[in-house]
């Protein structure tokens, strides 16, 4: 369902650290059959503004709607 919700905000947790973190918050900027790209709400310490994740890396994810 990530493909259907491209552009929507979400919170997710990975099973292993990615870029030194396990929790991410941002918008789904791209999604396909292999994984997603999250445009982060806040840049990481090294200036990274987005992160690519495979579906296998994602332990938990939920949409974070803005009302």
């Amino acid at each position: 369902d990530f493909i259907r919700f491209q552009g929507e905000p979400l919170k997710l947790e990975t099973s292993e650290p990615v870029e030194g973190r396990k929790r991410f918050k941002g918008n789904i900027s791209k999604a396909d059959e292999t994984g997603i790209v999250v445009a982060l709400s806040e840049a990481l310490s090294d200036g990274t503004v987005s992160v690519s994740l495979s579906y296998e890396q994602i332990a938990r994810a939920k949409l974070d709607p803005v009302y």
Side-chain angles (χ1 to χ4, degrees):
D1 280 347
F2 288 102
I3 295 171
R4 186 170 67 147
F5 292 106
Q6 288 185 68
E8 296 294 326
L10 86 158
K11 293 179 182 178
L12 65 81
E13 186 173 331
T14 58
S15 52
E16 297 291 327
V18 175
E19 303 285 336
R21 298 173 61 170
K22 289 182 76 172
R23 292 188 179 113
F24 297 92
K25 182 177 181 180
N27 290 350
I28 304 169
S29 62
K30 181 181 175 190
D32 60 24
E33 299 80 26
T34 61
I36 64 172
V37 177
V38 178
L40 302 173
S41 298
E42 297 179 12
L44 301 179
S45 59
D46 66 358
T48 303
V49 294
S50 66
V51 64
S52 297
L53 301 166
S54 68
Y55 293 123
E56 291 80 25
Q57 292 175 289
I58 300 171
R60 183 181 333 197
K62 71 177 201 173
L63 291 176
D64 188 27
V66 176
Y67 296 103

